[in-house]
Amino acid sequence: MTKPDTRLGTLLLAGALAGCSLAPAYQRPEAPVAPAYPAAGPDGAGPAAADTAWRSFFSEPRLQQVIAAALRHNRDLRAAALRIEEARAQYTLQSAERLPALNASLGAARTRTPAALNQSGRAGVGERFDAGLSMAAFELDYLGRVRSLGEAALALYLASDEARQAAQIGVVAETAKAWFSERALAEQYALAAQTLAGRQRTFELTRQRLDAGAASRLDLRQNETLYQSARVAALTLARQRAQAENALTLLVGQAPAAPPAGAGPDDAALDAMSALPAGLPSELLARRPDIRAAELRLKAANANIGAARAAFFPRLSLTAALGSASAALSGLFDSGSGNWSFTPQLQQAVFDGGRNRANLSLSETRRHLAVADYEKTIQVAFREVADALAARTYLGEQVAAQLAARAAQAERLALLQLRFDNGVASALDVLDAQRELFGAEQALVQARLLRTTSAVDLYRALGGGWQ
């Protein structure tokens, strides 16, 4: 067999052995959660959250504009996109290790040999010209070490993309919740401002009556207390609304081009938003990108074990060169000027101070950590869905009960006002009824906000938000 045939056979054998891998067979861990959600309540019949685009779930045009701006300008999403580029570059670098690196060279050398070292006894000047291709220390991956590292890099790259999708879903949900919170605070502030105006008029009227001798100082102080309390409530809500606007600006990444306006969703819209089918916990493994990202990180850790195991075995590398050499530039490519070299090398660590064993132990420990992270991610997702389903079960009834309470307080105030006008009830009774009606109206706004945010949380927990 000729030398070229020997080289070809060696390469074919290395290629056949390259299919080997010392990485352990990957098995998805069992989901450490119950097979069904507790207190899930009646399930919706609409499309799954993961199949519902956020523009379909949030139908308010101004809110859609704000969410779209957040997806363009949010700094967390910008950082997530850059992490994808980083992971892609790392994967490209690792993939390049599976291919030989070829270098072209063209060189010239001019040397002077002293007379004492020259056979002719005279000093001489020699020239040499070289041109060729070379391949330096290309590892023949017969145990899959390089391939395992490439698989780990690919899994981390895909995990970074899943993490970006999870971040996008989070930005959509948090932007919507910030929008609805600002709207609820605006509605509460409007109620507080209306109450404040009424109590200020009553306070001024009582002061005029005191000046005329028709009211006592006790009546004045009672009305002043109610007026100042309403003023405190209005100022508190104004501060909270301004802070909610700042939170929305931070999520969007700039001041929203479409400022919040209008009221929050009504009860019919809330019923539609809450009517998402929960499905089974096992379906979350495919729906939620954070769970998919955790599993990909687990696969990367599993592949790294294969690379760590392969380090215990000899490493086979190949160095080769092909070119031509001549004493004159004009004869560099003449017949007979060709040269080549072929240098396979087998390298085995004899003593490494326990480095390979420690690296294998580190890889196995990181795999155990990745399993724990994967299982915790599933448990957190299960808890988020279960909490949102529990909120859906009770908040609808809570809003209905609060509506009834507000209606009862409004009727009570109307009856007491009628009795006061006829001299049967006292002004204190009317003021107390006004205060309780104001509290019932504020509680109703807060209950509707809780139901709205729980619907958004359920949408996010089930994997919706990015289509």
Side-chain angles (χ1 to χ4, degrees):
M1 180 179 293
T2 63
K3 290 183 178 179
D5 293 335
T6 303
R7 295 198 304 272
L8 179 60
T10 303
L11 292 174
L12 290 176
L13 177 60
L17 291 174
C20 301
S21 177
L22 298 181
Y26 174 75
Q27 291 183 347
R28 174 185 288 175
E30 293 292 332
V33 293
Y37 299 109
D43 212 350
D51 299 326
T52 304
W54 63 265
R55 289 185 181 274
S56 300
F57 189 75
F58 303 108
S59 58
E60 212 284 321
R62 287 177 177 266
L63 176 55
Q64 289 181 352
Q65 294 178 32
V66 171
I67 292 177
L71 291 174
R72 287 193 302 268
H73 303 294
N74 185 269
R75 271 35 178 200
D76 291 334
L77 291 185
R78 187 174 300 177
L82 291 174
R83 280 191 288 270
I84 291 178
E85 295 300 321
E86 179 186 20
R88 179 185 294 133
Q90 291 286 352
Y91 170 62
T92 303
L93 286 173
Q94 190 57 55
S95 298
E97 295 294 327
R98 302 183 64 180
L99 299 174
L102 296 178
N103 298 309
S105 63
L106 180 64
R110 185 179 178 89
T111 60
R112 178 182 183 278
T113 305
L117 299 179
N118 202 336
Q119 294 180 355
S120 64
R122 291 179 298 175
V125 176
E127 293 182 336
R128 178 186 173 95
F129 298 89
D130 294 274
L133 293 174
S134 63
M135 178 179 67
F138 170 61
E139 181 177 349
L140 300 177
D141 193 27
Y142 69 100
L143 290 179
R145 188 189 73 87
V146 178
R147 187 180 64 175
S148 293
L149 292 175
E151 290 174 353
L154 176 60
L156 291 177
Y157 163 56
L158 296 176
S160 65
D161 186 61
E162 295 290 353
R164 177 182 60 87
Q165 293 190 35
Q168 287 172 332
I169 292 174
V171 167
V172 169
E174 292 303 320
T175 302
K177 289 167 65 175
W179 172 281
F180 291 130
S181 295
E182 194 280 336
R183 288 291 80 213
L185 288 169
E187 186 175 355
Q188 289 179 303
Y189 175 74
L191 291 171
Q194 182 180 358
T195 301
L196 176 62
R199 289 183 178 174
Q200 184 177 11
R201 289 193 299 269
T202 303
F203 173 62
E204 294 295 339
L205 179 61
T206 304
R207 183 159 52 186
Q208 293 174 7
R209 294 180 63 193
L210 176 64
D211 294 340
S216 65
R217 291 184 62 84
L218 179 61
D219 294 334
L220 178 66
R221 295 311 175 200
Q222 286 176 340
N223 282 278
E224 184 180 9
T225 299
L226 293 175
Y227 162 65
Q228 296 296 346
S229 298
R231 185 183 176 195
V232 169
L235 291 173
T236 300
L237 290 169
R239 172 183 57 81
Q240 292 174 344
R241 182 185 179 187
Q243 292 173 339
E245 291 176 348
N246 294 335
L248 182 61
T249 299
L250 177 62
L251 286 167
V252 176
Q254 62 182 20
D266 55 20
D267 293 329
L270 282 175
D271 290 338
M273 291 175 65
S274 300
L276 290 172
L280 298 175
S282 58
E283 296 174 352
L284 283 179
L285 305 184
R287 287 178 177 175
R288 290 195 36 148
D290 57 339
I291 296 179
R292 297 196 299 266
E295 185 175 11
L296 286 166
R297 290 192 294 269
L298 173 56
K299 290 181 178 180
N302 194 74
N304 282 328
I305 292 178
R309 288 176 175 176
F312 285 89
F313 296 89
R315 186 177 301 180
L316 179 60
S317 61
L318 177 64
T319 300
L322 176 66
S324 63
S326 174
L329 181 60
S330 59
L332 184 58
F333 298 103
D334 289 349
S335 176
S337 63
N339 59 44
W340 58 267
S341 66
F342 177 73
T343 311
Q345 184 179 22
L346 192 65
Q347 184 177 1
Q348 171 66 53
V350 177
F351 176 76
D352 61 1
R355 184 179 293 106
N356 286 339
R357 189 172 300 278
N359 189 41
L360 176 58
S361 176
L362 177 62
S363 299
E364 291 173 342
T365 302
R366 285 177 174 172
R367 183 186 183 279
H368 294 320
L369 288 172
V371 171
D373 177 66
Y374 174 69
E375 292 176 344
K376 181 180 179 180
T377 302
I378 294 176
Q379 290 176 336
V380 170
F382 180 89
R383 189 258 175 97
E384 289 176 352
V385 176
D387 285 349
L389 290 174
R392 181 174 72 177
T393 301
Y394 299 109
L395 282 176
E397 297 180 6
Q398 180 178 337
V399 170
Q402 194 62 48
L403 275 169
R406 186 191 65 171
Q409 289 291 346
E411 185 176 359
R412 175 173 175 262
L413 176 60
L415 293 174
L416 283 172
Q417 185 66 49
L418 181 62
R419 290 167 62 86
F420 175 75
D421 293 340
N422 292 313
V424 179
S426 66
L428 186 60
D429 293 333
V430 175
L431 293 175
D432 183 65
Q434 290 176 346
R435 183 172 59 251
E436 292 187 2
L437 176 60
F438 173 72
E441 290 174 337
Q442 295 283 352
L444 177 60
V445 174
Q446 192 64 28
R448 279 177 169 157
L449 174 62
L450 286 174
R451 193 181 180 203
T452 303
T453 56
S454 71
V456 176
D457 287 337
L458 179 60
Y459 178 62
R460 174 185 182 179
L462 291 174
W466 181 250
Q467 287 288 340

